[in-house]
Every structure is written in structure tokens, then in C-alpha cells.
Amino acid sequence: MHRLLLLSSLWLLLAPPASSIFQRPTGSPAPPRLQYLLEPLHAAVHTQRGATATLPCVLRALPRNYRVKWSKVEPANYRESIIIITNGLYHKNYGPLSPRVRLRHSHRYDASLTITDVALEDEGRYRCQLVNGLEDESVSLTLHLEGIVFPYQPSNGRYKFNYHEAKRACEQQDSRLATYQQLYKAWTEGLDWCNAGWILDGTVHYPIINSREPCGGRLLLPGVRSYGARDKQKDRFDAFCFTSALQGSQVYFIRGHLNFKEAGQACRNHGAAIAKVGQLYSAWKFSQLDRCDGGWLADGSVRYPITTPRERCGGLPDPGVRSFGFPSKELRTYGTYCFAGK
């Protein structure tokens, strides 16, 4: 008898959940998905770099001995990084976001997450999880930054970056590697680039609007074409970087016939720094910076931003940031673009 009871107990412990054995009759109503958490009105929160953003998470009731855990899904490795845990009375912050996050806690049912001084790396998917024994439930929200994607390659030519070098190169230009969603959105807005580049999750892509022979052929449809996941150490491509507007900053042009060293000093004389590539793209996109003059940037390249295309400013029909490449830093031919931050 005892042996039978023991075997029965073991079967109950090891058996799959009842829901996987017994199928719910077709047509019967599904059980309510959320018992304690309110479904957010909007799944996405839009913000700008440097702003304060709040991701809503509100309870309709307070279960006994509960906890709320906020985490962020990291696209580079698909893992969740814990940000903050609270039991309603006390809380603890975790990870690199720790100094810039807090619970809004505008009332006893409010577990919303507030992020101050929003940074480029804050964009992405967040999860608010109610930890309540067998009744755990969660809501997912996405934080979107208004921004722009631009292709980037170093002075020694195309296809020189492994993944880690591409990531570092974007960060040096006041940007970060773009996500696939950011690259796809940029393609829908007109980004057309024949060189393949790394994005944040370690895959490689290139966006094509106008199908043509050097870019896969005329027969392939437009789209974001993919090389898939590549070896992050060995394989080499360009980079697709993402940057956003920064509140309280300004990019401006200083005219002159300057070499690279003189360009940097000219900006410092004005209490500014020579602009980075991401900062010039941001000024072009969000401040409509429009100049026909080539100017030095911090990476040693010479570029100029055009919002109103015209014949004598490159002659191309579309707006964009034009490039003269990486001329000799000793040439005294160009002005400079300066960046004045907050």
C-alpha cells in the first residue's frame, strides 16, 4: 500500500501540467490573461535622448507577499537584465541603469518605472513581472527613441570591422550599433546602402531601395537583405550606427581653410569640441542643419549636411550627409563642424 502511494506521488510530481494533457474544448472562453496587472494602454513609449521617460506598470489589486521585478531584454544576447525589484515597501536597483531609474509610485498600486536622462542604450524591450508564486504574470513595453541610422566605415576602407570593432566605432561617434528594427525603419524611410554592416544582435544586413547589379542584381526585390549571424571575431563588415537628438546641444560650422589640428583648436577656442559623425547626422535630421561647406569631423573625415538638395551642393536629388572621405589631415582646405553640449 505504501509502495502504491509513493509511486502515485512520484507520478504527480513528474507528470506534465494538466493543461498539456487535457485540451480546452474548442470555442470555450480563454481564462483572463492578467489577474493583478493592468494591460498598458500603449505598448510603446516614445522619448528622446536626455529626457525622462516612464514605463507604466499598474496593479489592480495587491496580492499577499508579492514582488514586482523590472528587467530589460538585451538584443545582443537575448537575455534579461534585472533593473529593479520591489515588494511595495522596499526596493533594490541592479545593473548599469541603477543610478538613473526609480519607481514612480504615485499611488500604492503604481509600480511604473521612471528612467532619467535617457541614453541611446536604453532603447529596447522591458518587462514588468509580478512574482506571486504560481500566479506570476507580466507585461512587456518598448521604449523607442526618435533617431537616425547611418552607415559607417573607417578611413582604411570598407569591410574592416569585426563585430566588437564595429560596436566600439559607433560608440566613438556618439551612437551605438543599430537594432534590426531601427535599420528596418530607416530602410522604409529611404536608407539605400550597398555595403553590408553589423547590427547590435551580431547579424549582418544591408538596406536596398533601388535594386541594381552591384547590390545583388536587378531581379531581387528591394528590402533589408541579410547575411544572417556571422563570426563576431573573424568576419569583417561595415557598421550601421544609430544616434538620436540630444537635448540642449548644438552643431555649428566655422568657416576657414584649416587642417585637422587647426579645426579641433578652432572649436576649442569657442568652448566646443569638434563634432562626431553621429552628432552631425543628428543635427541634420533633427535641427535641419543645411550647409554646402565641407567640414572636418572628429574621426578625420570631411562631410557636409544637405536638407535642401541643389545642383551646386553635390547635385544629388535626395537630402543627406555627403562625404569627402578621409583626406590628408595636413590639408588646409576645409572649415570645421563643432559640437556644443549641455
Side-chain angles (χ1 to χ4, degrees):
M1 183 68 178
H2 291 293
R3 182 179 176 84
L4 283 173
L5 286 173
L6 179 60
L7 288 173
S8 299
S9 301
L10 284 172
W11 186 88
L12 287 171
L13 286 171
L14 297 174
S19 59
S20 64
I21 301 175
F22 303 105
Q23 298 296 321
R24 184 166 47 87
T26 304
S28 63
R33 289 177 55 208
L34 295 175
Q35 179 180 355
Y36 292 102
L37 292 177
L38 290 173
E39 193 76 43
L41 288 176
H42 304 286
V45 173
H46 296 266
T47 188
Q48 290 184 331
R49 185 160 52 146
T52 296
T54 297
L55 299 167
C57 184
V58 178
L59 288 75
R60 57 162 55 92
L62 300 178
R64 298 179 63 182
N65 302 319
Y66 76 95
R67 289 179 298 155
V68 170
K69 178 176 73 174
W70 275 100
S71 56
K72 184 175 188 289
V73 180
E74 302 295 348
N77 52 25
Y78 302 103
R79 295 178 180 175
E80 289 195 17
S81 300
I82 297 175
I83 299 170
I84 195 168
I85 296 178
T86 180
N87 64 0
L89 296 175
Y90 306 100
H91 70 273
K92 185 174 182 180
N93 293 15
Y94 297 85
L97 266 174
S98 181
R100 297 189 290 111
V101 295
R102 57 180 170 82
L103 294 170
R104 182 174 64 179
H105 207 63
S106 58
H107 51 79
R108 61 195 295 246
Y109 300 102
D110 185 13
S112 302
L113 182 73
T114 295
I115 306 173
T116 60
D117 194 20
V118 170
L120 291 173
E121 60 269 21
D122 297 343
E123 173 154 311
R125 188 159 64 91
Y126 292 76
R127 189 158 78 111
C128 175
Q129 181 182 12
L130 175 70
V131 182
N132 183 36
L134 297 177
E135 298 179 330
D136 292 2
E137 51 190 75
S138 65
V139 294
S140 292
L141 300 108
T142 301
L143 185 66
H144 281 302
L145 270 73
E146 185 181 6
I148 181 172
V149 172
F150 63 93
Y152 188 74
Q153 57 184 221
S155 60
N156 57 343
R158 58 177 261 175
Y159 293 177
K160 300 297 182 182
F161 295 134
N162 67 24
Y163 172 81
H164 306 287
E165 291 164 345
K167 185 173 182 290
R168 189 159 55 247
C170 288
E171 290 166 356
Q172 289 170 348
Q173 297 309 313
D174 193 46
S175 59
R176 71 188 297 241
L177 278 176
T179 64
Y180 182 82
Q181 290 77 12
Q182 291 165 344
L183 182 63
Y184 185 87
K185 182 174 183 290
W187 169 71
T188 66
E189 295 172 349
L191 182 59
D192 182 276
W193 196 254
C194 208
N195 293 347
W198 293 102
I199 63 172
L200 188 59
D201 65 2
T203 57
V204 174
H205 308 266
Y206 65 103
I208 294 296
I209 298 290
N210 303 307
S211 299
R212 49 203 187 272
E213 287 303 330
C215 306
R218 297 179 183 275
L219 298 181
L220 285 180
L221 293 174
V224 178
R225 297 175 183 166
S226 174
Y227 286 11
R230 310 299 291 203
D231 189 307
K232 292 182 178 181
Q233 292 288 354
K234 297 178 181 178
D235 290 327
R236 295 188 173 272
F237 298 94
D238 291 345
F240 286 106
C241 305
F242 172 83
T243 192
S244 179
L246 182 61
Q247 293 183 342
S249 65
Q250 179 189 14
V251 173
Y252 59 92
F253 182 75
I254 295 179
R255 189 183 299 275
H257 296 282
L258 310 170
N259 63 30
F260 179 72
K261 184 177 180 180
E262 293 166 341
Q265 187 59 53
C267 291
R268 289 191 292 273
N269 291 343
H270 285 75
I274 189 168
K276 299 177 179 180
V277 177
Q279 292 164 347
L280 184 66
Y281 268 93
S282 177
W284 165 72
K285 174 72 173 179
F286 300 108
S287 302
Q288 288 73 55
L289 184 62
D290 183 287
R291 288 212 63 108
C292 224
D293 307 279
W296 291 103
L297 296 177
D299 67 340
S301 65
V302 172
R303 307 175 195 247
Y304 62 102
I306 295 295
T307 56
T308 305
R310 45 215 188 264
E311 195 64 36
R312 298 181 64 182
C313 294
L316 296 176
D318 300 315
V321 175
R322 320 278 196 239
S323 176
F324 289 158
F326 295 83
S328 168
K329 291 184 177 181
E330 304 304 317
L331 288 176
R332 303 184 60 185
T333 308
Y334 306 102
T336 183
Y337 288 96
C338 301
F339 174 80
K342 299 194 267 189

